[in-house]
Amino acid sequence: MPERRTVALVTLGCARNEVDSEELAGRLAADGWDLVEDASDADVAVVNTCGFVEAAKKDSVDALLEANDLKDHGRTQAVVAVGCMAERYGKDLAEALPEADGVLGFDDYADISDRLQTILNGGIHASHTPRDRRKLLPISPAERQDAAVALPGHAQETPAPAPAPEDLPEGVAPVSGPRAPLRRRLGTSPVASVKLASGCDRRCSFCAIPSFRGSFISRRPSDVLQETRWLAEQGVKEVMLVSENNTSYGKDLGDIRLLETLLPELADVDGIERIRVSYLQPAEMRPGLIDVLTSTPKVAPYFDLSFQHSAPGVLRAMRRFGDTDRFLELLDTIRSKAPQAGARSNFIVGFPGETEADLAELERFLTGARLDAIGVFGYSDEEGTEAVGYENKLDADVIAERLAHISQLAEELTSQRAEERIGETLQVLVESVESEEDGEVAIGRAAHQAPETDGQVVFTTREGLVPGRMVEAKAVGTEGVDLVAEHHELAEVAR
């Protein structure tokens, strides 16, 4: 009997990386690898890295070094880097971080089992030379669907032969067509992400993501539906659609309004209680999409809008569109259709040329926007981006001061927004039951709260609550951005 091969996947970064890790897990499980949670119990530790901003890159390096330490006093024999940082830097990362036994790019994903076996056997797989992945797909979106390019979460047009569905290990999603990926869940959460598309055609001057994720390409609706049905069979109750830009979905399939058609179909999948759409571009929001997001049963009226700033001059320098008044008008339109709609966004402060007046304009927007969650980042140069060459760079201490100021304002405003929700009736998906000093507490998410990035709902009692249950609850208090709620039966008794 062949020796048991074990692998652990350590995932950093965004929900898109989580989907990619589950694709890698599916491929490895289908080829006979045993998946383990703890890297110290694995022959190979695979770290799915993030390459977005400096802090994320540091976290990725720290995770690789921590996994490497296991080789001195654990089962682990090899540490391998995959993901965005590995794709972005390739052999440069391998040279700078000799502790990693392999640095694999997206092109290696289809052959991940062979790559890991080679490394485990003491062989060397040459790290790739980074390249601009935008150049791998045709300029015309309509010509991209048939291009033979590695797209994590999409699989290959002509993949390596896979075992028949009946031969797959339990819990691995079968391949029913040439574009559908294998997938193996790495957790038991009732929430799972599904990749709607990959890449981005926007050219924001601060962002390097398109250079290593490539140009925008949609997954076919049938593939998204198939994966959602499979997740429902695994016990998933909420599906979050992820990509670099969900508002562009379908443009390369001949229908920019395809998301409006797809959402009701996903909501009709048996077992699914909620569909959530992440990462929407304000400049691409259209009335029909707003209508579907605010009126379709089981589709969360949730708007993860990428504002980034609100001062017109800063936005133009970022190669983005809009201003404070137009953004506030967009939010007003949304709330006129769904008063309880959730809204969140991220912002960059200290961008080259940002003035005190620009910062005041951002404050004006944040104060009027009533966002449920706000992420604030200080500007830093990202190699390969246009903004690196901009003049009028702000001093680091000025950026740090502005970051602290806007972060404090954001914390105050989101706490106020949470308080506004006291008394609201919420549809809450119970995600976990956690132990605390005074007993167990149930944690969930309402429609306006996405996993990981936003606040949560803390129930006053865990009675009758189990992960995966959708309950009606009443918000009765707050803990910062979090809501304290009584689920329906208790709220009825209280009245």
Side-chain angles (χ1 to χ4, degrees):
M1 184 174 180
E3 185 178 352
R4 180 173 175 252
R5 301 177 298 175
T6 56
V7 59
L9 286 131
V10 180
T11 306
L12 303 173
C14 64
R16 299 185 292 276
N17 258 15
E18 293 171 6
V19 175
D20 295 348
S21 285
E22 293 196 348
E23 178 194 333
L24 293 175
R27 292 183 181 279
L28 291 165
D31 203 43
W33 291 76
D34 287 337
L35 299 165
V36 296
E37 286 189 26
D38 193 331
S40 63
D41 296 330
D43 297 320
V44 183
V46 177
V47 180
N48 192 346
T49 61
C50 178
F52 180 39
V53 293
E54 201 61 39
K57 287 183 278 189
K58 182 182 182 302
D59 288 343
S60 295
V61 170
D62 290 345
L64 287 164
L65 293 174
E66 183 178 341
N68 183 69
D69 289 342
L70 298 175
K71 291 192 290 186
D72 295 329
H73 46 321
R75 177 186 177 119
T76 309
Q77 301 174 51
V79 176
V80 176
V82 298
C84 292
M85 191 176 179
E87 174 62 38
R88 184 176 182 183
Y89 296 106
K91 63 179 183 180
D92 292 338
L93 177 62
E95 293 171 1
L97 198 68
E99 291 84 356
D101 299 286
V103 176
L104 305 181
F106 296 152
D107 293 332
D108 293 307
Y109 282 22
D111 301 309
I112 186 67
S113 178
D114 289 343
R115 299 287 187 266
L116 296 190
Q117 189 62 59
T118 295
I119 294 168
L120 189 59
N121 291 342
I124 298 175
H125 178 71
S127 302
H128 73 288
T129 300
R131 52 183 173 168
D132 189 339
R133 295 191 74 85
R134 291 172 292 192
K135 298 178 180 179
L136 303 183
L137 289 167
I139 294 176
S140 170
E143 298 175 4
R144 294 175 186 168
Q145 284 291 318
D146 296 325
V149 175
L151 298 166
H154 294 230
Q156 298 296 100
E157 185 66 30
T158 54
E166 59 267 27
D167 294 331
L168 291 178
E170 183 179 354
V172 177
V175 172
S176 65
R179 302 180 68 89
L182 290 166
R183 181 169 180 173
R184 171 72 173 264
R185 296 213 69 204
L186 292 173
T188 59
S189 170
V191 182
S193 296
V194 170
K195 190 166 285 190
L196 194 62
S198 288
C200 185
D201 286 341
R202 302 183 71 88
R203 294 295 178 262
C204 301
S205 62
F206 57 84
C207 183
I209 289 176
S211 67
F212 56 85
R213 277 288 183 179
S215 297
F216 184 88
I217 183 166
S218 305
R219 289 184 71 194
R220 296 183 185 277
S222 57
D223 292 342
V224 177
L225 278 163
Q226 173 193 331
E227 190 167 342
T228 299
R229 293 187 185 107
W230 177 79
L231 287 168
E233 293 171 357
Q234 304 302 305
V236 168
K237 299 300 180 182
E238 177 179 324
V239 162
M240 186 164 72
L241 300 178
V242 298
S243 78
E244 280 73 23
N245 178 9
N246 280 333
T247 33
S248 282
Y249 180 69
K251 73 175 187 179
D252 51 323
L253 294 171
D255 185 0
I256 191 59
R257 296 176 178 82
L258 194 56
L259 184 55
E260 288 94 303
T261 304
L262 177 61
L263 285 171
E265 295 184 63
L266 292 171
D268 283 341
V269 171
D270 288 343
I272 296 297
E273 298 286 347
R274 186 156 64 204
I275 300 292
R276 186 186 302 275
V277 183
S278 68
Y279 215 80
L280 303 166
Q281 287 289 344
E284 297 181 33
M285 290 301 294
R286 46 196 180 268
L289 180 55
I290 294 174
D291 286 343
V292 170
L293 287 170
T294 55
S295 64
T296 307
K298 294 188 179 182
V299 173
Y302 175 80
F303 292 81
D304 177 12
L305 294 159
S306 176
F307 290 123
Q308 303 299 343
H309 212 284
S310 72
V314 176
L315 286 168
R316 300 306 172 268
M318 290 178 169
R319 296 203 177 280
R320 298 177 66 82
F321 306 95
D323 55 47
T324 295
D325 292 331
R326 273 188 277 185
F327 290 164
L328 290 175
E329 182 180 349
L330 172 59
L331 290 169
D332 286 344
T333 298
I334 290 167
R335 288 171 176 142
S336 70
K337 298 175 181 294
Q340 288 186 223
R344 62 112 47 225
S345 192
N346 293 325
F347 299 88
I348 298 172
V349 297
F351 195 77
E354 182 190 63
T355 65
E356 291 286 355
D358 293 329
L359 196 69
E361 187 67 5
L362 176 58
E363 289 185 50
R364 182 169 80 89
F365 171 68
L366 292 174
T367 302
R370 297 168 56 229
L371 299 174
D372 292 283
I374 300 171
V376 187
F377 300 88
Y379 172 80
S380 62
D381 281 338
E382 281 296 313
E383 58 189 280
T385 63
E386 181 182 351
V388 169
Y390 282 5
E391 297 179 351
N392 301 318
K393 298 280 181 66
L394 277 64
D395 291 339
D397 57 346
V398 173
I399 295 175
E401 181 181 340
R402 293 184 179 183
L403 175 61
H405 173 64
I406 296 298
S407 295
Q408 181 178 354
L409 176 64
E411 184 176 346
E412 293 171 357
L413 291 171
T414 51
S415 294
Q416 290 173 16
R417 179 66 183 126
E419 290 173 359
E420 291 177 13
R421 291 191 178 275
I422 293 177
E424 286 186 359
T425 298
L426 312 168
Q427 298 298 317
V428 183
L429 177 63
V430 182
E431 290 190 12
S432 64
V433 176
E434 302 173 3
S435 296
E436 294 189 350
E437 290 184 3
D438 55 351
E440 292 184 322
V441 60
I443 305 293
R445 307 275 177 175
H448 69 280
Q449 299 167 319
E452 307 299 331
T453 58
D454 303 343
Q456 59 189 14
V457 172
V458 180
F459 289 96
T460 55
T461 177
R462 68 144 298 181
E463 182 181 351
L465 300 178
V466 293
R469 182 183 176 191
M470 183 75 79
V471 299
E472 188 173 276
K474 180 181 179 180
V476 296
T478 65
E479 295 177 356
V481 298
D482 298 336
L483 294 178
V484 178
E486 296 177 348
H487 61 89
H488 183 72
E489 293 87 344
L490 293 177
E492 286 289 338
V493 171
R495 284 198 294 270

